[in-house]
Amino acid sequence: MKYAVCISVYGKSPFLKEQINSIINQSIPPSEIIVVEDKSKVSVKDYIKKILNNSGVEYKILVNTKNLGPAKSFKKAI
């Protein structure tokens, strides 16, 4: 079974790495992780890439050009 996990992020949360690792280490790992970075003052795109590059899971990172909020960012991921 293949499935994707979508997450929306805003800035660098102290728990972001734990959240991503938790998703990766599920008993059935996702086929793909789709991350939408909502426009914030601090970009975490490179930080997320560093975590996901060695995970073996495919990923996409979308970066909003303006702040959409968590609901619209999540909808964009879907």
Side-chain angles (χ1 to χ4, degrees):
M1 174 192 297
K2 291 186 174 188
Y3 70 96
V5 173
C6 302
I7 61 173
S8 172
V9 298
Y10 178 83
K12 189 173 178 182
S13 161
F15 302 106
L16 182 57
K17 185 175 182 178
E18 289 177 44
Q19 179 184 13
I20 292 172
N21 284 332
S22 175
I23 292 167
I24 293 168
N25 293 316
Q26 294 294 309
S27 57
I28 301 173
S31 308
E32 179 181 37
I33 296 176
I34 301 168
V35 180
V36 176
E37 180 183 22
D38 209 359
K39 181 72 174 171
S40 69
K41 293 178 183 176
V42 179
S43 176
V44 293
K45 183 177 180 178
D46 292 334
Y47 179 70
I48 294 169
K49 280 183 180 181
K50 188 186 291 186
I51 297 167
L52 291 172
N53 274 339
N54 297 320
S55 70
V57 175
E58 291 185 34
Y59 65 90
K60 291 179 187 170
I61 301 174
L62 308 171
V63 180
N64 292 341
T65 56
K66 65 178 184 174
N67 187 281
L68 298 179
K72 287 183 180 177
S73 291
F74 190 76
K75 184 177 179 181
K76 181 177 179 177
I78 293 172

